Amino acid sequence: MRILSNIDSNHYNSIKNILLNANELYIISPFLMENFGDFFYEIIEMDIKRVKLTTTLKDNDPDLLKKVNSLHSLCFNCLKYKIDYEIHIDNKLHGKIYVSLMNGEPIKGIITSANFTEAGLGFNHEWG
């Protein structure tokens, strides 16, 4: 086990590191980066075949438009890079978990306070 923080490293690189020797990623996070383009561009050489996302999608939420853009970006990039994907909605979700798998078997994971946003993964004071 290792303790992660965005103070002396960042969660973004830690997520990319758990994808080494993996072909699937589970993202469980209530909040998402608005544009997944850079993330997919950076991981495409890793031969990721599947992404599963669990997030929230609440009616009348002030961030609803941003979330729709996020989901569109995820779908667009998965189609662009020929990656299978699933999206699950859990409107009571609070946890943030990232798991890498190889052929359906978990390899590594991160349990953290960091949402899958630029701020959460990069510069907020988050711990995992």
Side-chain angles (χ1 to χ4, degrees), residues 45-109:
E45 297 299 321
M46 296 181 181
D47 203 30
I48 301 301
K49 303 282 188 220
R50 180 184 193 99
V51 173
K52 280 180 128 176
L53 170 71
T54 300
T55 191
T56 59
L57 189 62
K58 297 178 182 176
D59 291 338
N60 302 317
D61 191 299
D63 288 327
L64 187 60
L65 185 56
K66 188 186 286 187
K67 179 63 67 76
V68 170
N69 289 336
S70 297
L71 295 174
H72 177 267
S73 179
L74 173 77
C75 296
F76 174 83
N77 281 284
C78 284
L79 292 170
K80 176 180 176 179
Y81 294 113
K82 297 178 174 53
I83 297 172
D84 291 333
Y85 65 95
E86 291 180 29
I87 298 172
H88 302 272
I89 303 301
D90 178 350
N91 284 330
K92 293 186 178 185
L93 179 64
H94 182 74
K96 296 87 176 172
I97 303 170
Y98 310 100
V99 179
S100 65
L101 301 96
M102 178 55 111
N103 301 324
E105 294 294 321
I107 300 172
K108 293 182 180 178

